[in-house]
């Protein structure tokens, strides 16, 4: 049985018990959470979210990239979100690589050098600050007043706000 088969079996067993409102794509709390793809970050559990309350955007590192701005622009302009919550975390895999080394590896393996930024970082708090500023300065986002950034400790589960 593949991992996908395991997940599909779990979905069948789950049935219709997931609580929340599925009637609209507009999040009822009018918030978008942008975080890392790391499997240790269980966004719905961390914040006690129900289905339909928030948009959840994920990528490697939980960094604000052009694609995240695209998603946030749609989230705000078409689906009513007004706040952005950025959550990066301790022990992130993106802090264990460097921009050039990873691009060199990809180029050596494929013959092509990526045109996109890896967004590697060494200091998670500085990375959160950079991502918050990218949201605040984006001309495409009409709602940039309530943007906050946090570091999630994967060992303790605690959130620390980055100022």
């Amino acid at each position: 049985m593949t991992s996908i088969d395991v997940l599909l079996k779990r979905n069948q067993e789950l049935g219709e018990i997931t609580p929340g409102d599925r009637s609209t794509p507009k999040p009822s709390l009018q918030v978008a959470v942008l975080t890392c793809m790391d499997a240790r970050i269980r966004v719905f559990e961390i914040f006690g979210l129900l289905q339909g309350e928030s948009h959840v955007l994920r990528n490697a590192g939980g960094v604000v990239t052009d694609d995240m701005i695209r998603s946030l622009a749609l989230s705000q302009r078409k689906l009513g979100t007004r706040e952005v919550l950025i959550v990066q975390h301790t022990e992130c895999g993106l802090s264990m690589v460097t921009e050039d080394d990873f691009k060199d590896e990809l180029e050596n393996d494929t013959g092509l050098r990526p045109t996109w930024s890896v967004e590697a970082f060494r200091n998670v708090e500085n990375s959160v600050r950079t991502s918050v500023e990218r949201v605040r300065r984006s001309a495409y986002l009409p709602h940039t007043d309530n943007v906050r950034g946090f570091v999630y400790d994967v060992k303790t589960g605690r959130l620390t706000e980055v100022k």
Side-chain angles (χ1 to χ4, degrees):
M1 185 182 291
T2 69
S3 294
I4 293 172
D5 292 330
V6 170
L7 296 176
L8 291 173
K9 184 175 185 277
R10 288 180 186 173
N11 175 261
Q12 289 174 344
E13 292 168 357
L14 182 65
E16 293 292 323
I17 64 167
T18 305
D21 181 6
R22 300 179 195 196
S23 66
T24 177
K26 294 182 177 186
S28 62
L29 292 178
Q30 297 181 318
V31 65
V33 178
L34 190 157
T35 192
C36 185
M37 65 186 191
D38 190 298
R40 296 172 292 181
I41 302 173
R42 298 174 51 162
V43 180
F44 282 79
E45 289 85 350
I46 289 170
F47 295 109
L49 286 171
L50 300 176
Q51 246 182 0
E53 289 186 324
S54 172
H55 283 159
V56 178
L57 312 174
R58 298 181 86 140
N59 68 10
V63 294
V64 175
T65 60
D66 286 346
D67 191 54
M68 289 296 109
I69 294 293
R70 177 188 71 88
S71 294
L72 288 170
L74 287 162
S75 177
Q76 289 188 359
R77 292 176 177 272
K78 298 299 179 187
L79 297 168
T81 60
R82 300 289 181 263
E83 301 178 38
V84 180
L85 173 60
I86 297 171
V87 181
Q88 294 181 18
H89 65 96
T90 58
E91 299 179 14
C92 184
L94 203 53
S95 69
M96 299 172 194
V97 300
T98 67
E99 191 85 18
D100 286 335
D101 286 346
F102 189 65
K103 284 186 172 186
D104 289 346
E105 178 184 331
L106 293 175
E107 186 174 20
N108 289 336
D109 287 352
T110 67
L112 298 171
R113 190 163 190 86
T115 57
W116 36 263
S117 177
V118 176
E119 299 286 344
F121 57 85
R122 290 288 173 253
N123 181 289
V124 67
E125 289 85 2
N126 288 342
S127 180
V128 169
R129 284 185 197 96
T130 298
S131 284
V132 167
E133 280 307 306
R134 286 179 180 169
V135 171
R136 287 184 178 152
R137 293 180 183 186
S138 177
Y140 302 113
L141 303 177
H143 306 286
T144 58
D145 292 344
N146 203 351
V147 181
R148 293 170 66 184
F150 295 81
V151 174
Y152 175 74
D153 187 313
V154 295
K155 288 195 173 18
T156 66
R158 294 189 190 275
L159 285 166
T160 302
E161 188 160 11
V162 177
K163 296 289 183 176

